[in-house]
Amino acid sequence: MAESLDFYDLDSELSDEERMVRDTVRRFVDDEVLPIIAEHYQNGTFPEDLIPKIAELGLLGANLKGYGCAGMGQVAYGLICQELERGDSGLRSFASVQGSLCMYPIHAFGSEEQKQRWLPGMAAGEIIGCFGLTEPDFGSNPAGMITRAEALPGGGYRINGRKRWITNGNLAKVAIIWAKLDGEIHGFLVPTETSGFTAQKIEDKFSLRASVTSELILEDVEVGDDALLPGVKGLRGPLSCLTQARSGIAFGVIGAAMACYDCALSYAKDRVQFSRPIAGYQLVQNKLVYMLTEITKAQLLSLRLMRLKEQGKMTPPQVSLAKRNNCEHALAIARIARDILGGNGIMFEYPISRHMLNLETVSTYEGTHDIHTLILGQTITGIPAFE
Ligand code: TGC
Ligand code: FAD
């Protein structure tokens, strides 16, 4: 099994259960993801065959309790994200969307009937969900969304609108659609087989190629009263889901960074130029030390973030700081690793360019780097600078 960087002995801060979860997912990724993922990336396909195994390991909604979910702690959830993303960001995205963006809102804001109806099948990987917040004209500013729901006189709702960049869109049996009802944002559980609902796969991506990304079109989609998530209204609903997912992403990107570091270090030790292995040159060592330092800082930040979450003390700006920092440095690490491999760094044989291009998206979705800068700027100054 691949060993991973642990310069500050953070292993000793983990419980036996957390180590076991991490090692189990690590083995799964080594054995079943790494051998196939480059081909999926090349072909632009998501490895759907892995879904039953991912579910069997308890990785879907892993940190939720009851309804068939594994009920793990937040650190264990972070470690799952880390190990999945060591394989590919697309795999971690799949799990983030299913667990944090789809199962979490049903768990947190759904009725008992909705929880019973959807969650066990979602934990078992039989029902895949997607999360529709972003629209073609409203990305960073979801408050402006155009998608509308109207209450029907005989009961139920009619929904019209478009959602863009929706992970798992063409895999999903249920879409969580955020729409304005009487001017207020609400969440609706829309079965994707409903008449008027269409998902179109977005092709030709450079990034997250082993992940399904879709545009959702809703034309007079009619759903029952039981589609409305009753427990939340306003932007707080979707943003609460993003807080869950972003904390996992902060942990997840460390996995991609570790994969790049491991690959670059081993390559640098083997690759001889001029008179010795390139790892023996000061400039290359400087790059490796930057990687080591930033991975270690990201590990400390993420572990602390998830411990705060377990204690019920984590705040959204703390999540923003970790997501922003860890994505920024994971991307920088991937670019430097590509440089250390020289020409070989651009080849599919090595995972580096795949991670690098994935991380371009991860830095953008779930709040861009600069949106998190503005969230933190507002936190420390008290002055919002969004408009
Ligand atoms: P603002 O007035 O600040 O807040 C509105 C209400 O929301 C509450 N709130 C939060 N609640 C929970 N968690 C958070 N992080 C929250 N942030 C704010 C806030 O307290 C307020 O509540 P209430 O009850 O007082 O009404 O809202 P704003 O319109 O000014 O927007 C703020 C801004 C720009 C930060 C927000 O819109 C934002 O985060 N924009 C970024 C959009 C984004 O991240 N989109 C992600 C789409 S999903 C995705 O990318 C999935 S990729 C998944 C994958 O494949 O892994
Ligand atoms: P824009 O909001 O147009 O931003 C463009 C640039 O302008 C960015 O650099 C941004 O930082 C900057 N900017 C915007 N506002 C300001 C400001 N006030 N001040 C300074 N700079 C600003 N969404 C979902 O709802 N569900 C999903 O499952 C999902 N999955 C995704 C998967 C992929 C592969 C991708 C690429 C995206 C996904 N998204 C999803 C959408 C993602 O969350 C958005 O792309 C992201 O929020 C940014 O929105 P945008 O692309 O419209 O960019």
Side-chain angles (χ1 to χ4, degrees), residues 131 133-134 139-140 165-167 361 364-366 368 370 374 386:
F131 177 89
L133 179 64
T134 306
S140 296
W165 300 116
I166 307 306
T167 302
T361 285
T364 283
Y365 70 26
E366 301 264 4
T368 66
D370 286 340
L374 296 176
F386 297 99

